[in-house]
Amino acid sequence: MSYMFISHDISTVRAICDDVMVLYAGQCVEAGQRDVLAAPPHHPYTGLLVDSVPALRPGWLDSRRALTGTALPSMGPASESTELCGFRGRCHVRIDGKCNVTPPSARQLPSGAVILCHRSAAELERAQKTEPVTA
Ligand code: SF4
């Protein structure tokens, strides 16, 4: 027997699901086994969902505010392609001249997850690794 469980609550997804598919605006942006949610790198939208799970440590909320408060990189007009990344309007690591011009192709991360993104695993990991704020 199989179940399909749909949620924004990544902690529950991590607890009960074997396989995970992350959708943004109807597009599958990341797919893999449950363990892919354990540590970066993730697709930038998955990273946002993973980051929204509260951590029981001092300073966690303030560290989230620091991340979400940064301005988005500027980006020029989009090309005519209907397959551009749907997350580019909210993405903190978007690339002008690429994300607004060329549709991303599927790439595999070291975790085994397949993502749709122009950024490399190393770039995503750098952007998503945040040091715990010490009290
Ligand atoms: S393709 Fe570009 S806009 Fe889309 S998630 Fe990756 S970096 Fe962000």
Side-chain angles (χ1 to χ4, degrees):
M1 182 184 294
S2 300
Y3 291 95
M4 185 184 295
F5 179 72
I6 303 174
S7 176
H8 285 101
D9 181 352
I10 289 295
S11 59
T12 307
V13 170
R14 236 181 338 225
I16 69 172
C17 297
D18 295 323
D19 298 302
V20 177
M21 184 180 282
V22 179
L23 301 175
Y24 185 80
Q27 186 178 42
C28 175
V29 295
E30 179 159 0
Q33 296 186 320
R34 163 196 12 211
D35 293 347
V36 303
L37 299 174
H42 310 288
H43 182 276
Y45 179 56
T46 311
L48 208 62
L49 294 174
V50 170
D51 266 354
S52 69
V53 178
L56 288 175
R57 62 176 163 76
W60 175 82
L61 185 57
D62 290 334
S63 69
R64 297 307 96 185
R65 285 196 187 114
L67 279 179
T68 53
T70 55
L72 293 173
S74 62
M75 198 162 64
S79 73
E80 297 292 314
S81 171
T82 55
E83 295 178 5
L84 295 177
C85 174
F87 190 58
R88 67 186 188 283
R90 295 176 60 193
C91 183
H92 281 86
V93 293
R94 64 191 187 185
I95 309 164
D96 189 23
K98 209 167 198 183
C99 302
N100 53 338
V101 173
T102 312
S105 12
R107 72 169 68 233
Q108 189 163 30
L109 296 176
S111 66
V114 175
I115 65 167
L116 268 186
C117 185
H118 286 297
R119 289 287 187 183
S120 69
E123 290 172 325
L124 292 171
E125 184 161 6
R126 261 198 311 278
Q128 292 167 357
K129 279 230 159 129
T130 54
E131 295 301 317
V133 175
T134 51

